[in-house]
Amino acid sequence: KIIEINLISVKILNFDKTIVTIPTYSLISEGFMNRQEMLNSDLRRIKQVIRIDPESIKHIGLAELERLQQIKLLEGYIGKKINELNQKGDSENEFASLNDQYATNLGLFRKYMLKYIEKNPMIFNIKNKTNKSRRNRQNIIDGKEGEILVRIIEGTKEGVGLEIYCFSNSSDWRTYEYLIAKLLEHMYATAHHFDLKVNC
């Protein structure tokens, strides 16, 4: 928070109650982050990436789909995939996964994480918001705000990037950090169920 401003300097109160003094000119010549909208809306953006070993990404067949169908969040989605494979026949042809729309373990993991995040009560889900929250947060919810995404981003030498993009239901710093830790811990802990290797 800016607590004092004059022609020469600006005093800023940080979240940890320390005070910083900067030249007034810096507010014009350099970029700064304004968190007022975040505080007003009580939302805070989460944008976190984990890296997946590309060699662990693979197509999966009928037997593997049936095993993963035991995951409740994926039950309906995998059921449709199994029906598609049953109609085409689970061919033993080595190129079957290229000829047909087979699922990949990374695609299923993305779908699982999306469902997991949507069900988390600490995440702001634009689909489930009440009329009261719609009125209070209308100033920030336009386009991307309120969206929940689990997407693949550009790969690096550390691996394929899997990014989660969503908004927390609270802008409180401790709640926000706890939520990020919880989401990342869950991603690291569940990736191996999909035969994916996370690069640290």
Side-chain angles (χ1 to χ4, degrees):
K1 292 183 179 180
I2 295 176
I3 57 175
E4 184 182 316
I5 187 167
N6 57 50
L7 291 174
I8 299 172
S9 64
V10 177
K11 283 187 179 180
I12 299 173
L13 177 66
N14 296 313
F15 76 96
D16 59 358
K17 303 304 179 187
T18 57
I19 295 176
V20 176
T21 302
I22 62 172
T24 305
Y25 178 73
S26 294
L27 291 179
I28 301 170
S29 64
E30 300 175 16
F32 65 94
M33 187 177 292
N34 187 341
R35 299 181 182 270
Q36 193 60 46
E37 283 297 317
M38 180 187 77
L39 296 172
N40 289 343
S41 66
D42 206 26
L43 298 177
R44 191 164 180 182
R45 187 187 71 174
I46 295 172
K47 192 176 179 183
Q48 295 288 323
V49 178
I50 66 169
R51 295 284 170 184
I52 304 291
D53 184 346
E55 292 187 7
S56 68
I57 301 171
K58 62 181 181 179
H59 289 100
I60 54 177
L62 189 57
E64 188 68 7
L65 282 173
E66 288 173 346
R67 180 183 73 83
L68 292 172
Q69 195 177 19
Q70 297 176 60
I71 302 171
K72 291 295 182 186
L73 290 176
L74 290 177
E75 192 173 11
Y77 179 77
I78 290 180
K80 292 178 184 177
K81 290 288 183 185
I82 290 174
N83 287 337
E84 289 174 11
L85 285 179
N86 283 333
Q87 288 173 4
K88 294 175 182 177
D90 192 20
S91 174
E92 295 297 324
N93 183 338
E94 63 176 311
F95 297 113
S97 61
L98 302 179
N99 297 331
D100 297 321
Q101 294 295 316
Y102 271 51
T104 65
N105 57 346
L106 180 58
L108 287 177
F109 184 53
R110 281 192 301 110
K111 190 70 173 179
Y112 169 77
M113 284 307 305
L114 180 64
K115 297 278 188 187
Y116 175 79
I117 293 170
E118 286 176 343
K119 293 279 186 185
N120 191 318
M122 296 176 72
I123 298 292
F124 176 69
N125 190 339
I126 197 168
K127 297 175 185 175
N128 299 335
K129 68 184 190 307
T130 64
N131 289 332
K132 181 179 178 183
S133 66
R134 184 183 293 114
R135 287 194 301 271
N136 291 345
R137 298 172 177 182
Q138 193 61 47
N139 61 332
I140 197 171
I141 301 165
D142 59 347
K144 290 188 292 185
E145 286 80 0
E147 292 289 340
I148 299 173
L149 299 174
V150 180
R151 60 188 177 185
I152 294 174
I153 62 170
E154 184 179 359
T156 67
K157 62 182 180 180
E158 283 81 28
V160 176
L162 186 64
E163 180 184 77
I164 56 174
Y165 180 101
C166 55
F167 287 79
S168 68
N169 252 333
S170 172
S171 60
D172 175 70
W173 180 57
R174 287 171 296 183
T175 304
Y176 174 76
E177 291 295 335
Y178 169 78
L179 177 57
I180 288 178
K182 185 176 180 182
L183 291 175
L184 289 176
E185 285 166 7
H186 190 76
M187 290 179 81
Y188 283 121
T190 54
H192 75 94
H193 290 293
F194 296 83
D195 294 329
L196 290 167
K197 181 181 176 184
V198 178
N199 289 337
C200 298

